[in-house]
């Protein structure tokens, strides 16, 4: 996977999965932000559509099949630790399957956290995106 560097800009596609007013976050393991909590999702690949990436990433990471989603957040992050990123967040409104840990080499666990009491150690690249999402709920 190529990272944003020089004149290039990377695109991260993230998912907001909410159940009972709780947000799903994963504890990062082998990537930037090790030990921090982040949203499920990943990098947009060349030639891939936004929702195509979303569906692929959630199948790979969580083992679920997205049935419905809607755009939630757009964040321009020129100072990301991995280089300049554009983050696009989608609210997952329906999916099939059970959430499971499909990539234990990348993520320690998935857990739901109350939106009003999220962990302090949220991955910096997702913090602004999550804050923007929460403001849109008010």
């Amino acid at each position: 996977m190529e990272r944003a560097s020089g004149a290039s800009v990377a695109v991260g596609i993230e998912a907001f999965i909410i159940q009972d007013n709780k947000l799903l976050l994963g504890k990062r393991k082998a990537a930037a932000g090790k030990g921090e909590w982040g949203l499920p999702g990943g990098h947009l690949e060349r030639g891939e559509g936004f929702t195509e990436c979303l569906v692929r990433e959630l199948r790979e990471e969580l083992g679920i099949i997205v049935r419905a989603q809607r755009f939630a957040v757009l964040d321009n992050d020129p100072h990301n630790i991995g280089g300049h990123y554009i983050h696009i967040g989608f609210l997952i409104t329906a999916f099939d399957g059970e959430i499971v840990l499909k990539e234990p080499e990348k993520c320690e666990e998935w857990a739901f956290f109350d939106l009003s009491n999220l962990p302090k150690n949220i991955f910096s690249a997702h913090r602004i995106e999550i804050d923007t999402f929460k403001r849109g709920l008010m």
Side-chain angles (χ1 to χ4, degrees):
M1 168 46 47
E2 241 178 84
R3 293 286 178 130
S5 63
S8 66
V9 177
V11 178
I13 305 291
E14 287 84 32
F16 290 85
I17 299 175
I18 299 182
Q19 293 180 352
D20 300 322
N21 203 42
K22 294 181 179 181
L23 177 64
L24 181 70
L25 297 172
K27 193 167 194 182
R28 299 170 69 89
K29 190 173 182 180
K34 182 177 179 179
E36 297 176 327
W37 293 92
L39 296 165
H43 293 96
L44 182 70
E45 294 180 358
R46 188 173 304 283
E48 191 173 43
F50 297 146
T51 57
E52 184 182 3
C53 175
L54 178 72
V55 168
R56 175 184 55 76
E57 287 287 352
L58 296 187
R59 184 183 65 245
E60 291 173 359
E61 291 183 0
L62 305 174
I64 63 172
I65 304 300
V66 174
R67 288 192 294 117
Q69 76 285 324
R70 67 175 176 81
F71 170 79
V73 176
L74 178 65
D75 176 39
N76 180 21
D77 187 3
H79 305 293
N80 184 289
I81 58 174
H84 191 164
Y85 270 76
I86 302 295
H87 293 281
I88 303 171
F90 289 89
L91 175 63
I92 306 305
T93 56
F95 64 87
D96 291 327
E98 297 294 320
I99 295 169
V100 295
L101 181 61
K102 298 282 285 183
E103 297 179 320
E105 69 282 2
K106 295 180 182 179
C107 181
E108 287 184 36
E109 66 178 302
W110 293 106
F112 282 93
F113 294 91
D114 191 289
L115 281 165
S116 63
N117 190 26
L118 294 174
K120 301 288 183 225
N121 61 333
I122 292 179
F123 181 45
S124 62
H126 295 171
R127 181 176 306 284
I128 293 171
E129 191 175 2
I130 291 169
D131 289 346
T132 301
F133 176 78
K134 286 173 55 177
R135 277 195 305 277
L137 295 176
M138 296 176 188

